Amino acid sequence: MPAFRQVGEKQLPQEVVFMAWSPKRDLIALANRAGEVLLHRLANFQRVWSLPPNENTGKEVTALAWRPDGKILAFGLTDTKRIILCDVEKPESLHSFSVDSSITYMHWMEVTEESSVLTSFYNAEDESNLLLPKLPALPKNYSTTAKIFSEEKSDEIMKLLGDVRLNALVLGGSSGFIEIYAYGMFKIATVTGVAGSCRGLCLSSDLKSLSVITEIQDSSDSEAEITYFQLDTSLLSSYLPEVTRMARKFTHISTLLQYIKLSLTCMCEAWEEILMQMDSRLTKFVQEKNTTTSVQDEFMQLLLWGKASLELQALLMNQLTVKGLKKLGQSIESSYSSIQKLVISHLQSGSEALLYHLSELKGMALWKQKYESLGLDASGIEEAITAVGSFILKANELLQVIDSSMKNFKAFFRWLYVAMLRMSEDHVLPELNKMTQKDITFVADFLTEHFNEAPELYNRKGKYFNVERVGQYLKDEDDDLVSPPNTEGNQWFNFLKNSTHLKESPLLFPYYPEKSLHFVKKQMEGVIDQCLQKPADVIGKSVRQAFCMSLYKTSQSEDSTPQLFKLPFLWNDKASNIHYVLFTILESSISKIYILRRHTDTSRSVSNGILAVEFGNLLNNSINESSDSRCYSCLDAHFYDDETVTVVLKESVEQEGKERILAQLPLSSVYTDEDQEGEFIWDSTKRLEEQSGEIPTRTIFLENQWRVLENMKAQYVAVNGIRKVSCVLSSNLRHVRVFEMDVEDDGEVEEEEEEEITQTAAGEPEELNQSADNQESVCGASAEELPDEAEEHETSLGP
């Protein structure tokens, strides 16, 4: 009876370049050659959602990683050098940030180390929830936020906070680029001193050690050298409670910045372009009119004498129209009200929460005994607090401008509406006809302030007028405001101007009357980013190299096959905190697996912890008794769990119709004689492949933990021991099979599954969701001949 039960098979239309199993659900994430990220369910390999490439994120995915709780998927894009954090429920970006290098590898780990301080911190309720009001959910009626937030609940942005327990996203890129992001959000370490392009990363669960595999290539003609580095990250481990608290604050701050950014985006959408029509029409009127009088005089004449010139009458009655004026007034009121609500409920509450967390961070920085070693700088955080204060001032200024504009526009439009009704000789209602001297003065002041021509604007904005004052605050431009607020006669400004000591007081937030809200927001983000950058530099400089071993040189022939998961592979045994390195070296057409063991505590070393594993002919005999002399080479290998390695094998001797094999290798069968392991003493001046003959070798004879992958040129495997699943990919990167690993292949189960799949696929004849018993007709052909996958019905995520 074959081991492992096949539960799905698919021929994909695009070549898969990365695949990663969710740690918590039966979901696998794929990235293909077209730059698309897809999520598939284990059952029948059904697609849940797909995220197509776009110019804002990028089109070339080079790495995938799941947050340990399985709620966030991260992927790196090399063309835009961005990291995207995507919600598992919806194919939309929740958060993104730029990096300085093309990312080649990602590893997202969770800290398992326990201490009494940490336990009390994990169990304690977040004080900010008690002291701060809950942030209002972002509105769903704007296109930007509607794409991200579902109808049921629109506070998905808070999912970025995740669990209190510390987790870290480690990024590796070209030219020795390595960075660590706490909670996948804020950078806490920039590691230097590692040469080459990163091919593998693994941060130990106790934060004591970071293992890195790099590929160093001196020139395009030379062979690349694979090197293993072990880095000492004991500062993170020694200050684990402090790092956790600091990182949690960083994540709160980063989440709030994202919340403010989305709130401002909603405000921009609430501001309608229709408000610009008044300015453009008045500008056109100036260009076309033949009279020498100004627009302001024309309107003043209408206000005082009730008569308009023929040109103004044509503008009002033909271009603006009574109906158009009414619609314009309603649009302005609706738009301004929406912006006002967003400022009060979202921008202000988000900014106040930001001030709270930055102030707490400043308090932590002042506790130098605990946090000085981590690089927290109180003066830098003080600057960030000041920048947030300036942003709040600018938001309040916008509220005042909206309030003033709404009052002015209401009075102006009411008067103009009555005047236009009279021009058209329509009946004017008595309640509209009443206009006091105060109302006339108010409209006259509005005309004087807003309708004066400014020819310099025409060169800058293409119009002579700037009647509408709110939009300038929302534009993402570095230019000064076209119509800054009038501060003449303001007693507070006059008082500050005359008081030099008070003007320079740190208690007063700087005010930028000439700048837009967008400009002040970008300035605030820059200051906060700069102040939180220092811990990453300080922690990064504390990381030192503890161990380095040159493993082997890659053969040129390796490049002829498309590479997905290039060995070597790193794994961290959380129970014993030992790093394992898996790699293969080709010897006489037989590729052995080498397992290198290193303890994460660099003060200790697993002495000469390296073994070679080869697969004996017993496995082959069970398939083909005549080939008793052949062994198997390893194509791909991944740790299934702390005790098992999953491998894809092929017969070492090339022959037509040779089979590929999926097998489970128990480590207990490898580490049987610890004394023999100590016999190897490696020479640090040589590469490990040059000493491979001296490395102890175990020949493994698998009994029942293997399965022949019929009619499939298998090359790569992705596994998840928690979910007990694996996904095998063919060498052409388009043919996949999915297996449940701890279940024997039961014929009855297969038949039931076949019936279910046949029912599911009714009406979808092009889908290739057949069971294993029904594969010969499809998979007997070469993978290249298989038809492209038809468009699948996407399914929603279940619990």
Side-chain angles (χ1 to χ4, degrees), residues 1 140 546 770:
M1 191 77 68
K140 303 180 288 291
Q770 291 104 338

Side-chain angles (χ1 to χ4, degrees), residues 628-643:
D628 55 352
S629 60
R630 290 194 216 109
C631 292
Y632 283 81
S633 282
C634 176
L635 295 173
D636 198 11
H638 278 259
F639 268 90
Y640 180 73
D641 53 31
D642 293 340
E643 300 170 354

Side-chain angles (χ1 to χ4, degrees), residues 32 54 71 135 161 208-209 226 238 301 314-315 321 339 362 382 384 407 442 464 468 477 536 560 579 610 654:
N32 62 30
N54 65 70
K71 292 179 181 177
L135 289 175
L161 288 170
K208 287 183 178 177
S209 180
I226 305 299
S238 305
Q301 188 179 349
L315 167 76
T321 72
I339 295 171
K362 182 187 171 187
E382 184 63 51
K407 197 162 55 178
F442 196 83
Y464 291 109
E468 198 282 313
E477 297 174 354
S560 61
H579 280 311
I610 186 163
E654 293 289 332

Side-chain angles (χ1 to χ4, degrees), residues 541-574:
K541 285 174 183 173
S542 75
V543 177
R544 59 180 181 81
Q545 184 177 305
F547 180 75
C548 175
M549 177 187 285
S550 176
L551 299 179
Y552 63 94
K553 284 201 171 185
T554 57
S555 60
Q556 294 292 329
S557 60
E558 188 182 19
D559 297 331
S560 61
T561 307
Q563 292 298 304
L564 182 72
F565 303 109
K566 290 186 177 181
L567 289 175
F569 178 71
L570 275 158
W571 175 262
N572 176 39
D573 184 341
K574 293 176 184 176

Side-chain angles (χ1 to χ4, degrees), residues 156-225:
E156 277 96 334
I157 191 75
M158 294 303 141
K159 283 185 180 177
L160 289 168
L161 288 170
D163 298 330
V164 182
R165 183 180 290 277
L166 180 63
N167 59 68
L169 175 63
V170 193
L171 308 177
S174 53
S175 307
F177 174 88
I178 298 172
E179 289 184 341
I180 303 173
Y181 286 77
Y183 299 103
M185 295 278 288
F186 236 104
K187 184 163 53 177
I188 57 166
T190 302
V191 180
T192 56
V194 175
S197 178
C198 180
R199 289 245 312 239
L201 283 168
C202 195
L203 184 61
S204 66
S205 55
D206 59 0
L207 293 184
K208 287 183 178 177
S209 180
L210 173 64
S211 282
V212 186
I213 300 286
T214 67
E215 181 178 327
I216 305 169
Q217 191 160 15
D218 298 327
S219 65
S220 57
D221 301 330
S222 63
E223 293 180 333
E225 188 169 323

Side-chain angles (χ1 to χ4, degrees), residues 303-356:
L303 175 65
L304 296 174
W305 309 113
K307 290 183 179 180
S309 65
L310 293 174
E311 288 90 347
L312 181 60
Q313 197 165 334
L315 167 76
L316 295 175
M317 302 308 294
N318 300 334
Q319 289 194 36
L320 198 57
T321 72
V322 176
K323 192 177 179 182
L325 181 71
K326 199 170 183 181
K327 184 181 176 185
L328 188 62
Q330 289 170 347
S331 294
I332 286 177
E333 189 169 359
S334 167
S335 178
Y336 282 5
S337 297
S338 299
I339 295 171
Q340 208 168 27
K341 286 173 187 171
L342 284 164
V343 173
I344 294 168
S345 62
H346 294 76
L347 272 197
Q348 288 189 335
S349 56
S351 302
E352 286 163 7
L354 199 54
L355 273 180
Y356 170 86

